[in-house]
Amino acid sequence: MARLLTYLLLPLSWLYAGVLAGRNWLYDRGWKPSAAFETVPVLSVGNLRVGGTGKTPHVAWLVAWLRARGQQPALLSRGYGRRTRGYRRATAADTAATIGDEPLQQFRQFGGAVPVVVSEDRVAGIGRLLLQEPAVTAVVLDDAYQHRRVRPAFNILLTEQQRPFYQDFVLPAGRLRESRAGAQRADVVIVTKCDPALSAAARTTITENVRRYARPEVPVLFSCYDYGPPVPAAGPAAGAAPGPEVVVLTGIAQPGPLLEHLAAAGYRVAAHHRYPDHHAFTPAEIGALAAQLRPGQVVLTTQKDAARLREPALAASVADLPVFYIPITVRFLAAGDTRLAALLNPYFPPHAVV
């Protein structure tokens, strides 16, 4: 049935893809303006597919790499899901409602040491950021692959191993934001959420499939997730430790890898309260979860979801809930981190280090 529906929707996908192809053609030929920034490198991290490719942890890896090299990066996002508009620099007083859950997570992850800015107009946002933050030596654009008004110095394209762009279709028949040909703009393609034991032969096959659409010389790298121990996030979780039976709360696009990790780590998931990506939790939803929680059980969630659980409107609802989040970090396979660093190094020569 799903395959039949895909075929029925293909004419609409072709129409949508055609409109986007025309838009990209105008940008490629300079008939629509695209701004480049010469003073600092602009690094873009994005995807062709709607949601769930692992942008946030890869952005965190990139920011950490830049800081380790002595750079002062800044993050710029449109702030998806926020209830504000315009340019806004994240502060300790912000919430997911004011800047979006992912920018809030990034701001807290780096302890405020990395400027995090949200702006729908990324051209104006970068310009204002560079004026207000003269120490910034690199700007990382989060989820800006289709934002052609900015011409990044380096374009990172992410695609999942289990849902690669080369097997998908453009909306509404599939989940692609534009056609597979969009991979031509990538300077590197990272295949994410890989099986850590992915064989060399499998990597070769995936690389060949990617290069049917990307430029032939573009490197194809592979990454997986490493999961850390549960971190107290809310309620009476501090000083406690999760038992073997847990309740999972997610509002992300792809919770499957998290559930697989929990099963492998020996947790038994008594219930999974699953919501759409970027879902704004309500007191009623948290109350329903609390009513199902039995003695000895704790709530496990993601770091991004934990950011939304800290909304002031939810303070009373989560006050008595033992909530932990599972941190994730990116690990590259087959020395992919070394290869990516070699691609990025020319943009940050030693004399530019501050």
Side-chain angles (χ1 to χ4, degrees), residues 193-326:
K193 303 182 184 179
C194 292
D195 179 348
L198 190 67
S199 68
R203 295 198 304 270
T204 298
T205 299
I206 294 171
T207 298
E208 291 172 350
N209 285 322
V210 168
R211 286 186 173 153
R212 292 170 56 197
Y213 303 97
R215 303 194 309 275
E217 73 279 8
V218 167
V220 180
L221 310 179
F222 299 83
S223 69
C224 65
Y225 282 166
D226 282 339
Y227 293 87
V231 175
E245 191 171 276
V246 298
V247 172
V248 176
L249 173 67
T250 61
I252 58 175
Q254 303 292 345
L258 172 63
L259 296 176
E260 292 171 5
H261 161 72
L262 295 178
Y267 293 104
R268 191 178 80 81
V269 177
H272 180 195
H273 293 250
R274 179 176 181 176
Y275 296 94
D277 200 15
H278 301 285
H279 178 72
F281 301 117
T282 67
E285 291 164 348
I286 303 303
L289 183 154
Q292 293 182 1
L293 204 64
R294 297 198 296 270
Q297 293 179 345
V298 302
V299 178
L300 292 185
T301 189
T302 69
Q303 194 168 356
K304 185 168 79 170
D305 292 317
R308 276 179 273 119
L309 287 175
R310 295 189 180 99
E311 288 295 300
L314 298 176
S317 303
V318 302
D320 297 323
L321 280 182
V323 181
F324 296 79
Y325 71 81
I326 306 294

Side-chain angles (χ1 to χ4, degrees), residues 39-194:
T39 54
V40 301
V42 175
L43 314 175
S44 173
V45 181
N47 54 21
L48 295 179
R49 195 176 188 273
V50 176
T53 56
K55 288 187 301 296
T56 301
H58 283 81
V59 165
W61 183 95
L62 181 57
V63 169
W65 180 86
L66 287 165
R67 297 185 74 204
R69 191 174 169 79
Q71 301 295 320
Q72 174 57 73
L75 276 164
L76 191 144
S77 167
R78 64 172 172 157
Y80 183 84
R82 64 181 174 130
R83 299 173 189 169
T84 59
R85 294 190 62 80
Y87 181 95
R88 190 180 184 101
R89 190 193 191 283
T91 69
D94 276 301
T95 67
T98 59
I99 60 172
D101 53 3
E102 290 171 353
L104 180 63
Q105 175 186 337
Q106 292 156 345
F107 177 78
R108 288 178 169 165
Q109 183 168 352
F110 292 102
V114 174
V116 175
V117 168
V118 294
S119 177
E120 303 93 329
D121 186 337
R122 290 179 174 90
V123 174
I126 294 174
R128 184 170 173 181
L129 167 65
L130 295 179
L131 282 175
Q132 296 184 349
E133 306 284 345
V136 165
T137 60
V139 176
V140 179
L141 292 183
D142 186 0
D143 196 15
Y145 198 80
Q146 285 75 36
H147 194 83
R148 299 298 306 275
R149 289 185 59 227
V150 173
R151 189 163 67 253
F154 194 79
N155 228 347
I156 300 173
L157 175 62
L158 308 180
T159 187
E160 288 181 275
Q161 179 196 350
Q162 297 301 322
R163 300 170 183 82
F165 73 85
Y166 55 77
Q167 292 180 350
D168 207 345
F169 299 97
V170 174
L171 292 163
R175 299 287 289 170
L176 296 186
R177 297 170 170 178
E178 59 176 303
S179 74
R180 302 170 187 178
Q184 286 279 320
R185 300 195 303 278
D187 296 301
V188 64
V189 177
I190 302 176
V191 183
T192 67
K193 303 182 184 179
C194 292

